[in-house]
Amino acid sequence: MSIRNDTVARQVTPAYDVARIRHDFPALHQEIHGKPLVYLDNGASAQKPRAVIDAISEFYAHDYANVHRAVHTLGERATQTYEAAREKARHFINARSPEEIIFVRGTTEAINLVAQSYGRNTLRAGDEVILTQMEHHSNIVPWQLLREQTGIVLRVVPIDDSGELILDELEKLFNRRTRLLTLTHLSNALGTINPVHRIIEMAHARNVLVLLDAAQAVPHLSVDMQALDCDFYAFSGHKLYGPSGIGVLYGKKDLLAAMPPYQGGGEMIRYVTFEKTEYADLPCKFEAGTPNIAGAVGLGAAIDYVSGIGLAAIAAHEQDLLAYATDRAAEVAGMRIVGTAREKASILSFELAGIHPHDIGTILDSEGIAIRAGHHCAMPVMRRFGVPATARASFGMYNTRDEIDALIAALHRAREVIR
Amino acid sequence: MSDLRDLYEEVILDHNRSPRNFLKKPEGTNHQAYGFNPLCGDEFRVYLAVEDGIVKDVGFDGAGCAISTASASLMTEAVKGKSLEQAHALFEDVHKLLTQRAESSDLGKLAVLSGVHAYPMRVKCATLAWHTLQAALENRQGETVTTE
């Protein structure tokens, strides 16, 4: 990238202090095989800031008890903290009501919840669900399970050579049996940002509901449920710098209210006899059993942390990194970037001619650089691009241009090692 | 971690660059097996022409990383001419070398695979062809061998 572009990038993010941000993440300050850790596997999971680690630790040290059932002080404190986290999640995606925020284990559970609760009770044999060729397995397999149970039909929107959805093909897939469109907001294997506003309009014009898999999107794109108007939105805490084992299913209240429970147990009931059980109101109806209380608290702290820096500033920083990495990758002999959509974020998926991604992964690790090598749980994408696997560098708020320089140097080194 | 050169040994790089008995299904093939590691995408088919209890010829095809490809290539060289019992014994020796680093003195060229032991995430790459060989010795067609 030229000096001139450099200047432009700096002007876009004048207040972005990456050194200060890095200081907040203890895991970044270590050596791997004698080299400073360069963590470029954020698409798989992000590291955690001290604020998140401390929030979880403080919660267990001082405020922990079960939620929603105790009359004692700690129970009250735990419930308040847990519900405060729900409110933070609501605010973060601008949902109308905290009742629309269901805490789940992660994106995968959120999608399974919609498939098994909404899908199993509403969809009939022959009804159609549209998904896309770029979906993560977690947005394919739950629908295949539902297909086995109900006889629904799955339709797949193809992608073009750049990794963009072919919207004309989507248009053709809608018919009078189409009930639901489920797709990723940001592709984990390609980095493609899908034009979800337009797609939601297309679907809603035909009374088709839309579920967005936002596992990759939430750490990079600011979203507004009321403006976006999607019907379900699913994301995980752990890619948003929060803990694993906690995530959110957003659903429009009228939809959630009409859906039966996903699991039965404590917490989700109002009244139980052996003859009949009345379910609790939203959101508890979908939160059977003792939830991941500390996980929710950690997620709340992560949302506070991310909001404090600002998703717009984070996104601008990451766009600069992606542009810089894309430019510099061209210097490496045999480089082929997989996923060159016009709208992209945070992900550089690639192959190097003659070097298998796992060999790249091992060689980069010896240089302290963590990337992902594999099919990224998106085997249909790999098949589409004719590769068994790719190497993937994925960027987060704390990555730097220096780290990308280290990545490029290590890729040159991989070329030297595998001759 | 030990030096990368212990993993990407010269012999391994050579066998990755030009795998022996590759893209070859020997005449008289009467034993074969299929190995696939779905997480990696590594995939090999091993073919044996067995006559009077002896592996007369051997070949393989498929695709994988440098470690799995070189290991497969070295395997085909080592197994040619061996009796089924000797080939089974060789599988056991190499498996021990890779998983426990128990070096057997008569492994010859295969000793270059010992460097893989220091990279636990890569052991499954090196063992894939050998487990596929074992299945081929028993002619377990229709089964998918995996080391993941």
Side-chain angles (χ1 to χ4, degrees):
Chain A
M1 185 174 277
S2 70
I3 291 166
R4 189 196 168 108
N5 282 346
D6 241 340
T7 315
V8 170
R10 271 200 294 272
Q11 282 168 353
V12 171
T13 56
Y16 200 82
D17 188 349
V18 73
R20 208 206 72 218
I21 291 169
R22 292 183 68 80
H23 180 76
D24 293 339
F25 286 79
L28 297 179
H29 306 284
Q30 62 179 306
E31 293 197 337
I32 302 289
H33 310 306
K35 308 273 173 57
L37 168 65
V38 173
Y39 189 78
L40 300 176
D41 196 19
N42 299 286
S45 203
Q47 298 298 335
K48 318 305 172 196
R50 175 65 69 194
V52 168
I53 299 165
D54 287 351
I56 294 168
S57 167
E58 291 293 308
F59 178 69
Y60 275 131
H62 303 294
D63 301 322
Y64 182 77
N66 212 328
V67 290
H68 293 152
R69 57 194 66 162
V71 293
H72 56 75
T73 304
L74 278 187
E76 172 63 15
R77 235 190 260 164
T79 302
Q80 273 181 10
T81 316
Y82 180 70
E83 290 304 322
R86 194 189 307 278
E87 171 56 24
K88 287 173 188 182
R90 183 208 66 76
H91 184 260
F92 186 62
I93 60 171
N94 195 29
R96 281 185 182 82
S97 152
E99 295 172 302
E100 297 178 318
I101 304 294
I102 313 294
F103 281 131
V104 289
R105 278 189 295 146
T107 310
T108 298
E109 187 176 43
I111 296 171
N112 278 278
L113 192 164
V114 175
Q116 289 302 311
S117 173
Y118 169 77
R120 200 160 178 185
N121 287 278
T122 311
L123 303 185
R124 300 283 166 262
D127 281 347
E128 298 194 359
V129 170
I130 299 177
L131 37 84
T132 86
Q133 203 175 11
M134 70 171 79
E135 296 313 307
H136 188 282
H137 298 161
S138 63
N139 199 19
I140 300 173
V141 183
W143 306 106
Q144 292 174 328
L145 291 171
L146 182 65
R147 177 171 63 186
E148 283 168 23
Q149 293 160 342
T150 64
I152 58 163
V153 174
L154 301 182
R155 304 275 183 205
V156 181
V157 187
I159 53 182
D160 67 18
D161 291 341
S162 73
E164 292 183 10
L165 287 179
I166 305 175
L167 293 187
D168 289 347
E169 296 296 324
L170 167 60
E171 189 83 52
K172 290 182 206 157
L173 291 179
F174 287 115
N175 64 44
R176 58 181 187 82
R177 296 303 302 268
T178 310
R179 304 293 299 277
L180 177 75
L181 168 59
T182 181
L183 78 157
T184 186
H185 191 171
L186 199 175
S187 159
N188 73 309
L190 301 165
T192 309
I193 302 172
N194 284 317
V196 291
H197 279 276
R198 185 165 163 213
I199 289 170
I200 290 167
E201 274 174 19
M202 287 167 74
H204 282 178
R206 295 161 176 86
N207 291 317
V208 171
L209 298 183
V210 179
L211 183 157
L212 291 183
D213 166 356
Q216 289 295 332
V218 284
H220 310 292
L221 308 171
S222 100
V223 289
D224 178 333
M225 286 305 108
Q226 297 183 49
L228 197 57
D229 197 35
C230 70
D231 301 285
F232 298 105
Y233 199 76
F235 64 94
S236 304
H238 69 96
K239 294 190 209 293
L240 187 60
Y241 310 97
S244 60
I246 188 77
V248 167
L249 170 67
Y250 159 85
K252 282 182 182 165
K253 191 175 165 184
D254 55 338
L255 286 169
L256 292 175
M259 283 158 53
Y262 166 56
Q263 294 178 327
E267 188 97 11
M268 52 72 73
I269 48 86
R270 180 180 292 140
Y271 182 77
V272 177
T273 67
F274 281 107
E275 288 71 39
K276 186 178 182 329
T277 291
E278 265 184 48
Y279 305 128
D281 289 333
L282 290 173
C284 294
K285 182 171 82 175
F286 291 108
E287 294 182 5
T290 297
N292 183 355
I293 308 169
V297 171
L299 174 59
I303 288 172
D304 284 344
Y305 184 82
V306 168
S307 305
I309 293 162
L311 262 178
I314 291 170
H317 174 71
E318 291 170 348
Q319 279 304 325
D320 172 67
L321 292 178
L322 180 62
Y324 183 67
T326 305
D327 276 5
R328 290 227 50 202
E331 296 166 18
V332 183
M335 167 68 64
R336 176 195 173 208
I337 294 175
V338 178
T340 50
R342 285 161 294 179
E343 295 292 326
K344 264 188 84 172
S346 72
I347 280 165
L348 188 75
S349 204
F350 61 91
E351 59 167 358
L352 282 186
I355 312 184
H356 191 281
H358 279 96
D359 295 313
I360 298 174
T362 295
I363 296 165
L364 263 54
D365 183 61
S366 76
E367 301 285 327
I369 302 171
I371 60 151
R372 175 90 185 264
H375 56 56
H376 318 298
C377 298
M379 283 180 161
V381 175
M382 299 297 110
R383 210 165 299 127
R384 167 65 178 79
F385 287 93
V387 292
T390 69
R392 181 187 71 180
S394 51
F395 311 116
M397 65 160 95
Y398 39 62
N399 291 123
T400 65
R401 283 186 171 214
D402 288 348
E403 290 182 309
I404 287 162
D405 292 339
L407 168 70
I408 301 300
L411 291 176
H412 285 301
R413 167 125 172 86
R415 273 255 159 267
E416 287 163 21
V417 172
I418 308 286
R419 285 160 291 123
Chain B
M1 183 184 283
S2 40
D3 193 274
L4 266 185
R5 285 283 162 219
D6 294 339
L7 178 65
Y8 295 109
E9 235 270 349
E10 199 49 56
V11 175
I12 286 182
L13 291 173
D14 173 46
H15 278 258
N16 174 51
R17 239 181 349 252
S18 16
R20 322 296 198 261
N21 303 302
F22 187 51
L23 301 179
K24 162 180 150 184
K25 185 175 183 180
E27 207 154 305
T29 289
N30 50 5
H31 283 56
Q32 57 179 293
Y34 171 65
F36 178 43
N37 279 346
L39 293 177
C40 300
D42 287 1
E43 183 175 30
F44 294 109
R45 218 173 270 279
V46 171
Y47 306 101
L48 306 176
V50 179
E51 233 182 277
D52 303 326
I54 305 289
V55 179
K56 289 285 182 196
D57 204 358
V58 52
F60 79 108
D61 56 33
C65 63
I67 303 302
S68 62
T69 304
S71 182
S73 170
L74 286 161
M75 178 275 289
T76 61
E77 278 193 330
V79 86
K80 200 185 287 191
K82 296 271 195 301
S83 71
L84 292 178
E85 291 72 28
Q86 286 171 323
H88 268 297
L90 192 60
F91 164 80
E92 296 295 343
D93 284 348
V94 171
H95 192 255
K96 273 189 206 138
L97 174 76
L98 289 167
T99 57
Q100 300 158 32
R101 202 165 192 169
E103 285 189 46
S104 154
S105 53
D106 50 2
L107 275 176
K109 207 188 216 179
L110 294 174
V112 297
L113 291 171
S114 67
V116 180
H117 182 261
Y119 296 79
M121 307 294 284
R122 303 304 299 279
V123 168
K124 64 175 183 175
C125 309
T127 53
L128 180 61
W130 290 89
H131 280 275
T132 310
L133 165 70
Q134 196 195 29
L137 292 169
E138 293 161 9
N139 202 19
R140 301 201 308 261
Q141 293 192 35
E143 180 186 317
T144 299
V145 176
T146 186
T147 56
E148 281 178 341

